[in-house]
Amino acid sequence: MFTCTLRADSRKTLCEQLYEALRRQIGAGGLADGEKLPSKRALAAHLGVSTSTVEAAYGRLLEEGLCESRPRSGLYVTAGPAAGADAEKPPEIRWDFGTGAADAEHFPYATWAHLMRGVLGRRSADLLLAGDPRGSAGLRLALSGLVQRLRGITAAPETLIVGAGTEVLVSDVLALVGRDRLFAVEDPGYPRVRRILSAGGARIAPIPLSGGALDVRALYRSGAGAVYVTPSHQFPTGSEMDEARRAALLVWARETGGFILEDDYDSEFRFDGKNIPAMRGRDARVIYLNTFSRTLAPGLRMGFMALPEQLVPRYMEQHSACSVPAFQQETLEGFIAGGYMERHIARMRTLYRGRLQALRRGVEALDLGRLHPCDAGLYALLEAGGKTPAGELVPAAACAGVRLTRLSDYALMEGAKQDRTVLLGFAGMDEERILEGLDRLAGAWGIRGKEQNPKGGLTK
Amino acid sequence: MFTCTLRADSRKTLCEQLYEALRRQIGAGGLADGEKLPSKRALAAHLGVSTSTVEAAYGRLLEEGLCESRPRSGLYVTAGPAAGADAEKPPEIRWDFGTGAADAEHFPYATWAHLMRGVLGRRSADLLLAGDPRGSAGLRLALSGLVQRLRGITAAPETLIVGAGTEVLVSDVLALVGRDRLFAVEDPGYPRVRRILSAGGARIAPIPLSGGALDVRALYRSGAGAVYVTPSHQFPTGSEMDEARRAALLVWARETGGFILEDDYDSEFRFDGKNIPAMRGRDARVIYLNTFSRTLAPGLRMGFMALPEQLVPRYMEQHSACSVPAFQQETLEGFIAGGYMERHIARMRTLYRGRLQALRRGVEALDLGRLHPCDAGLYALLEAGGKTPAGELVPAAACAGVRLTRLSDYALMEGAKQDRTVLLGFAGMDEERILEGLDRLAGAWGIRGKEQNPKGGLTK
């Protein structure tokens, strides 16, 4: 029987290693054209891996035309030597359920281009100057109105800061609150902000969640002087911070003089009609942060924050220019002032709701596991069914060209390694591709599903 | 005689205080319409200030029509009560000799707009994605060619980082080299970078200059692990780092493992035809930094750096997006690839050379002082003539609506407070306004100049 050495300590997953070994054998003629491949069960037992690992590796060979399936017989090699020459390349991701994926097709290109052309046509000298370090007065006025309407926040334009995305703004926050403060983060939590804080020289205190939100008692015990939270949609659990917890957090800030950094990321995409105002709406000492990466496009590199009034002078001392080009500031101002932003968000909300529904239908039809309720945000949590070991869920999917992450990937503290919960981002693919991707996932995890063909039956 | 209390410890200059007091008196009717103002000499003696302080304050009243000059008699109030109601507003700057000023009139608007329209018209989905954290591959390739041609540097596109200006890039450098390193800076030196480093949590070691460039022995003694230098055009002294010093600095880096951050700011504007390659061209371990704020416009918020190869992986770990919008990256790529950048720089060099010549002519004709030789960069150093005390040179100018800075403003260490050297940026005004501004300066400093009317005689 075909054999190969699979290394548990390799950077590659077992499935990748197996796929590449098979491909090399075919390329070298060790597995000849027409030869029958061992059954999944037999090869899995022989190599000491799970059948889903073998299934995923065989799936890739099939997909690439290196073998074929003959009914009631098995898989046969269909390629000659040299076919596997480029075996070293990593599996290509074709279905991206990553939480950072975004829709690029529905960007309001025509409107944006029209507005930007108008800005270019004005040839105002102001466009060429560094301008106010907080961003232009006009844009801040427009943003002030937008957050009032969308998020129930009263933030004076003087306190708003426009910046080139979350990376730049979170670094700015660090310089404002001081690097000597221990910075608390949710655990599990958003790894990108954790990384920005670390790169910025902050000491990080991971605070566990209790009941889906930051454990405020643990926050007190940590001695932190600042905390990063995602109250409207906790990343990655998706839960919403309840009233009591919000109140307790605000009391913590008042009692200790600590700063709250509220990331309101994805708050625009609620599907249940509720609209819980941001914490900043209740206390102007909260630093409010949001981005246009999801509501518009990541490539625009724009976000903003509302600072507590007492931090504004320090911001002005530390900065001499806004990090967003003046052209783009003025385009965004026109986009908001013209009402395009709210229309675009409403449109995308409808679109994303449809994709979430497709995800629900697909998971149900394929019997992929139990989907957590999802009222907001652009990913859903799935407790994976099937028998694939928890640690193999993501690698097996990757091997089948599907990208996703596990809830435990976002935890700093140990203990959740056997958790079978994965995150399925649904923003970056249309409904049909979501269903295709779920179908691949079912294959990768060795889940047979229910009778009907889910894709054919569901997409119509 | 009119009297008022001038406070030496006020945040306002003596001239501003005097001007405001006069204006308040006029507004209140204490100095009535038609009343003669005391002579400059008499009021100066009465108040214990220099005559140039009184002259500058009177100059503003004249300019605002609150008094008039009667030949062979003196100054008479020409306004009634309430005229000075808005006396609290600071003097308006009308002639800006600041070193950060830039020309906004000659920005290649038509080309830039044409290229940006082309980018918008392509509607490529790539424009909406976060893309490579270093900036797009196309732009980095174009930049690699540009720095080769302009600055004699071989920097692989893989090592180039595009970022939203010096602020963002210097913060990134700090995260790359580590905040535990003591960061040496030139003293006197560029205050903005010093401020960015401080806000970023770096400990700063000011290193004196010797012979116009960083004292490398003092650098060794400081124990610094990184140093920020401006070799092609030291800020603010304008001198160029000589060969021996460059070699010594590179030896320092090799011996101590220290990082050199080379800011090549303004290197594009040399007026003597020489082209000294950047230090990075000699050692790929130098971090090279430059900006498009001066060659294009500050409002574009774009700069770039070339990293030593070993820092690139750390950069990639720390960042998940480039801080410059994809639209603008692609526009800049087209601008460089189309040869527009080099043509624009050549055109601006000619323009700025003309402005420098106007500055020279004006200083000479007005007998303003001794101008240092200036072969490069967009400001010149002037040892101010006249009798205005060193500490009053800048406030007296401000009072006359002229902005400039003193060399000693850029020094951290004491000892140069009596220095009469000022910096005259000439990039932001055309030749006529430069001559006008110098004329005001002569007035503010009580310099009578030579026989001829300098402005009339020079601008033709």
Side-chain angles (χ1 to χ4, degrees):
Chain A
M1 191 189 294
F2 163 83
T3 195
C4 66
T5 310
L6 303 178
R7 300 171 54 97
D9 61 349
S10 163
R11 278 182 50 223
K12 291 177 178 171
T13 63
L14 294 176
C15 161
E16 280 170 324
Q17 292 179 57
L18 176 58
Y19 159 76
E20 287 171 8
L22 284 163
R23 203 177 155 120
R24 266 194 302 271
Q25 277 286 45
I26 293 168
L31 282 168
D33 193 359
E35 191 170 332
K36 187 175 189 292
L37 290 170
S39 79
K40 281 169 280 191
R41 207 169 296 267
L43 185 57
H46 176 63
L47 297 174
V49 298
S50 73
T51 49
S52 62
T53 299
V54 178
E55 181 160 11
Y58 278 4
R60 278 202 72 193
L61 295 180
L62 268 168
E63 206 169 284
E64 293 177 6
L66 296 174
C67 68
E68 62 176 17
S69 170
R70 297 185 191 162
R72 294 167 204 281
S73 170
L75 294 172
Y76 291 81
V77 177
T78 51
D86 57 342
E88 296 306 319
K89 69 168 188 191
E92 192 195 349
I93 294 299
R94 294 174 57 192
W95 296 273
D96 189 353
F97 288 101
T99 58
D103 179 273
E105 305 229 329
H106 293 79
F107 179 77
Y109 239 111
T111 308
W112 192 263
H114 173 76
L115 290 168
M116 201 164 224
R117 283 188 190 117
V119 170
L120 287 169
R122 276 196 287 284
R123 295 178 167 241
S124 151
D126 284 351
L127 292 175
L128 303 175
L129 305 177
D132 192 306
R134 292 170 295 187
S136 78
L139 174 54
R140 286 182 286 116
L141 190 66
L143 282 173
S144 172
L146 186 75
V147 293
Q148 172 72 69
R149 295 189 300 274
L150 286 182
R151 305 295 298 127
I153 298 175
T154 306
E158 293 71 39
T159 64
L160 291 175
I161 312 285
V162 178
T166 301
E167 254 176 53
V168 170
L169 290 169
V170 171
S171 304
D172 290 347
V173 166
L174 209 47
L176 286 172
V177 306
R179 253 163 272 266
D180 46 327
R181 284 175 190 260
L182 183 65
F183 221 114
V185 296
E186 298 164 324
D187 187 25
Y190 191 37
R192 211 179 139 209
V193 165
R194 219 152 55 200
R195 202 192 49 212
I196 299 167
L197 290 171
S198 292
R203 292 172 302 131
I204 304 283
I207 306 290
L209 306 183
S210 84
L214 186 99
D215 183 334
V216 179
R217 278 190 215 169
L219 177 63
Y220 271 100
R221 280 196 302 270
S222 73
V227 60
Y228 169 81
V229 283
T230 49
S232 74
H233 187 241
Q234 205 276 332
F235 189 92
T237 64
S239 58
E240 184 191 302
M241 193 183 285
D242 61 31
E243 267 304 305
R245 202 68 62 99
R246 288 173 189 237
L249 201 52
L250 292 172
V251 167
W252 168 84
R254 272 193 290 272
E255 285 184 358
T256 66
F259 287 100
I260 298 172
L261 174 54
E262 173 182 34
D263 189 345
D264 206 29
Y265 167 84
D266 270 4
S267 63
E268 299 81 3
F269 300 117
R270 290 206 63 89
F271 307 114
D272 58 0
K274 282 195 292 182
N275 187 358
I276 299 116
M279 286 182 69
R280 161 81 186 201
R282 293 170 44 165
D283 192 326
R285 279 172 299 184
V286 171
I287 304 171
Y288 174 91
L289 177 73
N290 208 335
T291 171
F292 293 108
S293 285
R294 307 280 271 184
T295 41
L296 280 168
L300 294 181
R301 307 315 308 144
M302 275 193 299
F304 66 98
M305 56 183 177
L307 290 182
E309 221 170 309
Q310 81 267 26
L311 290 183
V312 175
R314 199 177 307 169
Y315 184 88
M316 298 301 276
E317 276 164 34
Q318 292 179 340
H319 297 273
S320 48
C322 173
S323 49
V324 175
F327 289 107
Q328 193 162 299
Q329 289 186 43
E330 200 162 323
T331 307
L332 180 62
E333 180 188 339
F335 195 77
I336 296 172
Y340 301 111
M341 181 67 87
E342 279 148 287
R343 253 173 284 160
H344 178 63
I345 289 174
R347 185 169 167 237
M348 294 309 284
R349 195 184 292 125
T350 305
L351 186 89
Y352 288 142
R353 184 186 280 121
R355 291 181 182 180
L356 172 59
Q357 280 160 358
L359 188 80
R360 281 199 186 115
R361 289 200 309 273
V363 165
E364 164 81 10
L366 290 158
D367 208 10
L368 270 176
R370 194 179 69 82
L371 207 59
H372 293 209
C374 171
D375 299 325
L378 302 180
Y379 62 87
L381 268 60
L382 172 77
E383 274 175 50
K387 300 221 169 351
T388 307
E392 283 285 309
L393 289 168
V394 171
C399 218
V402 178
R403 188 199 326 265
L404 45 71
T405 53
R406 258 174 90 204
L407 190 57
S408 60
D409 295 342
Y410 301 100
L412 288 173
M413 286 183 267
E414 294 295 321
K417 298 304 174 200
Q418 288 317 303
D419 192 81
R420 298 180 64 77
T421 313
V422 296
L423 278 67
L424 295 173
F426 52 81
M429 294 181 285
D430 65 20
E431 300 183 18
E432 192 169 352
R433 289 195 49 74
I434 286 172
L435 293 169
E436 258 177 43
L438 293 177
D439 198 42
R440 288 303 165 125
L441 207 51
W445 291 347
I447 292 174
R448 291 280 149 255
K450 297 180 178 170
E451 259 88 319
Q452 67 188 120
N453 170 352
K455 196 182 140 197
L458 289 163
T459 52
K460 275 193 284 285
Chain B
M1 189 188 297
F2 163 82
T3 196
C4 66
T5 310
L6 303 177
R7 300 170 52 96
D9 61 346
S10 163
R11 278 180 53 223
K12 292 179 178 170
T13 64
L14 294 176
C15 162
E16 279 170 325
Q17 293 178 58
L18 176 57
Y19 159 77
E20 288 171 7
L22 284 163
R23 202 178 157 122
R24 265 193 305 270
Q25 278 285 49
I26 294 170
L31 282 169
D33 195 356
E35 190 169 335
K36 185 174 189 293
L37 289 171
S39 78
K40 281 171 279 188
R41 208 171 296 268
L43 186 57
H46 177 63
L47 296 173
V49 299
S50 72
T51 48
S52 61
T53 299
V54 179
E55 180 159 14
Y58 279 3
R60 277 202 74 192
L61 295 180
L62 269 169
E63 206 168 282
E64 292 176 7
L66 295 174
C67 67
E68 63 176 14
S69 170
R70 297 187 192 160
R72 294 167 207 279
S73 169
L75 293 174
Y76 291 80
V77 177
T78 51
D86 56 343
E88 297 306 320
K89 70 170 187 190
E92 192 195 348
I93 293 300
R94 295 173 57 192
W95 295 275
D96 189 355
F97 288 102
T99 59
D103 179 272
E105 303 230 329
H106 294 78
F107 180 77
Y109 239 110
T111 309
W112 192 263
H114 173 77
L115 290 167
M116 201 165 223
R117 283 187 190 117
V119 170
L120 288 168
R122 276 197 286 285
R123 298 181 167 237
S124 150
D126 284 351
L127 292 175
L128 304 174
L129 305 177
D132 192 306
R134 290 169 297 186
S136 79
L139 174 55
R140 285 182 288 117
L141 191 65
L143 282 173
S144 172
L146 186 75
V147 293
Q148 172 73 71
R149 294 190 301 275
L150 287 181
R151 304 295 298 127
I153 298 174
T154 307
E158 293 71 39
T159 64
L160 291 175
I161 311 286
V162 178
T166 302
E167 252 176 56
V168 170
L169 291 169
V170 171
S171 304
D172 290 348
V173 166
L174 208 47
L176 287 172
V177 306
R179 253 162 271 266
D180 46 328
R181 284 176 190 260
L182 183 64
F183 220 113
V185 295
E186 299 162 324
D187 186 27
Y190 191 37
R192 207 176 143 211
V193 164
R194 219 152 57 198
R195 204 191 48 212
I196 300 167
L197 290 171
S198 292
R203 290 172 303 132
I204 304 282
I207 306 289
L209 306 183
S210 84
L214 187 98
D215 183 335
V216 179
R217 279 190 215 168
L219 177 63
Y220 272 100
R221 280 197 302 271
S222 73
V227 61
Y228 168 81
V229 283
T230 49
S232 73
H233 187 242
Q234 204 276 332
F235 189 94
T237 64
S239 58
E240 186 191 300
M241 194 182 286
D242 61 30
E243 266 305 304
R245 202 69 63 98
R246 287 173 189 236
L249 202 51
L250 291 172
V251 168
W252 168 84
R254 270 192 293 272
E255 285 185 358
T256 66
F259 287 100
I260 297 172
L261 174 54
E262 174 184 31
D263 190 344
D264 206 28
Y265 168 84
D266 269 2
S267 63
E268 299 81 3
F269 300 117
R270 289 204 66 87
F271 307 115
D272 58 0
K274 282 196 292 181
N275 187 356
I276 299 118
M279 286 182 67
R280 162 78 186 203
R282 295 168 44 164
D283 193 325
R285 279 171 297 183
V286 171
I287 305 171
Y288 174 91
L289 177 72
N290 209 333
T291 171
F292 293 108
S293 285
R294 306 280 271 184
T295 42
L296 281 169
L300 293 181
R301 306 314 309 143
M302 274 193 302
F304 66 99
M305 57 184 176
L307 290 181
E309 221 170 310
Q310 81 268 24
L311 291 182
V312 176
R314 201 177 306 167
Y315 184 88
M316 298 301 276
E317 276 163 34
Q318 291 178 341
H319 296 273
S320 47
C322 174
S323 49
V324 176
F327 289 107
Q328 193 161 298
Q329 288 186 44
E330 201 162 322
T331 306
L332 179 62
E333 180 188 339
F335 194 77
I336 297 171
Y340 301 110
M341 181 67 87
E342 277 146 289
R343 252 175 283 161
H344 178 63
I345 289 175
R347 184 169 168 237
M348 295 308 285
R349 197 185 290 126
T350 304
L351 186 89
Y352 288 142
R353 185 185 282 121
R355 292 182 180 178
L356 172 59
Q357 280 160 359
L359 188 79
R360 281 200 187 114
R361 288 200 309 274
V363 165
E364 165 80 11
L366 290 159
D367 207 12
L368 270 176
R370 195 179 68 82
L371 207 60
H372 291 209
C374 171
D375 300 324
L378 301 180
Y379 63 87
L381 268 60
L382 172 77
E383 274 176 51
K387 301 223 170 343
T388 307
E392 283 286 309
L393 289 168
V394 171
C399 218
V402 178
R403 189 201 321 268
L404 45 70
T405 53
R406 257 175 91 207
L407 190 58
S408 61
D409 296 341
Y410 302 99
L412 288 174
M413 287 182 267
E414 294 294 323
K417 298 303 175 202
Q418 287 318 304
D419 192 81
R420 298 179 64 78
T421 313
V422 295
L423 278 66
L424 294 174
F426 52 80
M429 294 181 286
D430 64 22
E431 301 182 17
E432 192 169 352
R433 289 192 51 72
I434 287 172
L435 293 169
E436 258 178 42
L438 293 177
D439 198 42
R440 289 303 166 127
L441 207 49
W445 291 347
I447 294 174
R448 290 280 151 254
K450 300 182 178 167
E451 260 85 320
Q452 67 186 120
N453 169 354
K455 198 183 143 199
L458 289 162
T459 53
K460 275 195 282 287

